Each structure stands twice: as structure tokens, then as C-alpha cells.
Amino acid sequence: MDTYLDTERLALRHFTADDADLLIELDSDPEVMRYLSGGEPTPPEIVRERYLPNILAGYQKWNGNFGLFAAHEKAGGAFVGWFILRPAPQGPLDEVELGYRLRRAAWGNGYATEGSRALLGKAFTELGVRRVWAETMTVNRASRNIMEKLGMTHTETSPVPDDMAMIEGAEHGGVLYEITKEQWARR
């Protein structure tokens, strides 16, 4: 496994063309997809034909430095989900999004915080990033707690996109959190 980043318990790597089944399994869990699609699974053909090719193209676009990264437990190698560290599609390389989607079996183990903390460190010390942002639904308290543990600050509330209007809690909107390199260095 070609490792992008190691933490104490996780190894993050680039996805490969052979990883569609990992993504399909992750996106088929209604609880994992609760705040993304209202629990509806992502159709396998969308994962194979659109999502995975876009993930792989991102590595090319950003020289492997940014993108979506498969996360595996170091002890045993189990797939736990993915982490994202990437600029907006046409955004500057020094402002990137942080995110994660973990299998339900991995919830409550501190993996989201551990992987995200390591990605923040890499972003600010190796990749020339000056600002990292993350978004979630206002009602997704678990994700918001992780952002706050990371030292991120809630900076904005906005309506959810129209394609998420059917999700429980959508009427409360979404939230944006951020942290700058200077804030990260002071923590």
C-alpha cells in the first residue's frame, strides 16, 4: 500500500481503480448517508462511472497532494472510510476543504479526529495551505464536535443545497467551519 499519510492507528492512501466496491459499500449504509442523501445509497454505477474517475483525476490535477484518501486501520488493514483534503474545483491551492466519511463500525473510535488532525498538520506544514474549511448540516452534531475538537471555528450558516432539502434537519441549514494556519500554530 502506497501511504499518503500515517497516523497512530490509520494509514491513508490514494484510491485506485480497483476500489469501487469499498466506496459502494460505504455509500450503501443509510446511517452513513443520513446527512448527505437522507439515507439513500449512491447507485453503484454512479460510483464506478463518475465518482471514482473524478477521484483519480484529482490526483493528477493536484500532483497527488490533494484529493480523497482511503483510510485503513494499521492493525488488521480494515477499510474505515475516507478523508478529503482538496481545494474547491476552481479554488486556490492554499484554501482547502477537510472532510471524512467513515463506516459505521469505525464511529466512536476517534478516527475522524485523528485523521483530520494529521491532515491539518500536513496541509499547514507541507502543502502551503493557509486556510482549511469544512461543512456539514447544522443538525450533524457529531461532525460539528469533531470540527470544534480540531480548533475550527463556526464562521457561517447557510441554506442546504436544493438536492438536500428532503433530509431530516435541512430546514436548519448547513454550517461552515474554518481554521487558518496561524490559528492552527497557536493551538
Side-chain angles (χ1 to χ4, degrees):
M1 176 167 59
D2 188 21
T3 303
Y4 171 78
L5 179 66
D6 273 319
T7 72
E8 181 181 339
R9 300 175 298 158
L10 298 173
L12 278 61
R13 65 168 176 84
H14 290 159
F15 278 97
T16 70
D18 297 326
D19 288 326
D21 289 342
L22 295 176
L23 294 166
I24 291 166
E25 184 263 334
L26 180 65
D27 281 15
S28 69
D29 185 328
E31 283 302 305
V32 170
M33 300 302 290
R34 179 179 179 188
Y35 295 119
L36 301 164
S37 67
E40 291 296 316
T42 305
E45 62 274 10
I46 297 293
V47 172
R48 284 191 185 93
E49 297 167 17
R50 190 177 337 155
Y51 289 0
L52 190 53
N54 286 342
I55 291 167
L56 301 177
Y59 302 138
Q60 293 279 320
K61 179 177 182 177
W62 299 303
N63 298 318
N65 291 324
F66 299 109
L68 206 71
F69 303 99
H72 295 267
E73 291 177 336
K74 284 183 175 177
F79 175 69
V80 299
W82 56 252
F83 288 85
I84 189 170
L85 185 70
R86 71 175 178 201
Q90 303 304 320
L93 296 180
D94 65 349
E95 293 187 9
V96 299
E97 176 186 14
L98 174 71
Y100 37 81
R101 186 175 303 170
L102 303 181
R103 295 177 68 219
R104 200 174 345 166
W107 292 1
N109 293 312
Y111 290 145
T113 303
E114 181 177 326
S116 296
R117 188 170 281 133
L119 284 168
L120 285 175
K122 184 175 184 82
F124 291 134
T125 63
E126 297 176 30
L127 300 175
V129 172
R130 67 172 186 80
R131 176 181 167 264
V132 175
W133 54 274
E135 292 180 298
T136 192
M137 290 184 66
T138 299
V139 295
N140 188 347
R141 192 68 234 168
S143 210
R144 293 180 69 181
N145 287 344
I146 291 163
M147 294 171 194
E148 291 164 7
K149 281 184 202 174
L150 297 170
M152 300 181 90
T153 304
H154 175 222
T155 59
E156 186 178 316
T157 302
S158 60
V160 297
D162 290 342
D163 64 345
M164 294 176 69
M166 78 303 209
I167 299 173
E168 172 192 347
E171 68 275 12
H172 301 291
V175 289
L176 177 77
Y177 281 72
E178 68 177 39
I179 187 169
T180 64
K181 182 176 183 175
E182 293 76 24
Q183 291 166 327
W184 177 81
R186 288 193 308 260
R187 76 200 187 302

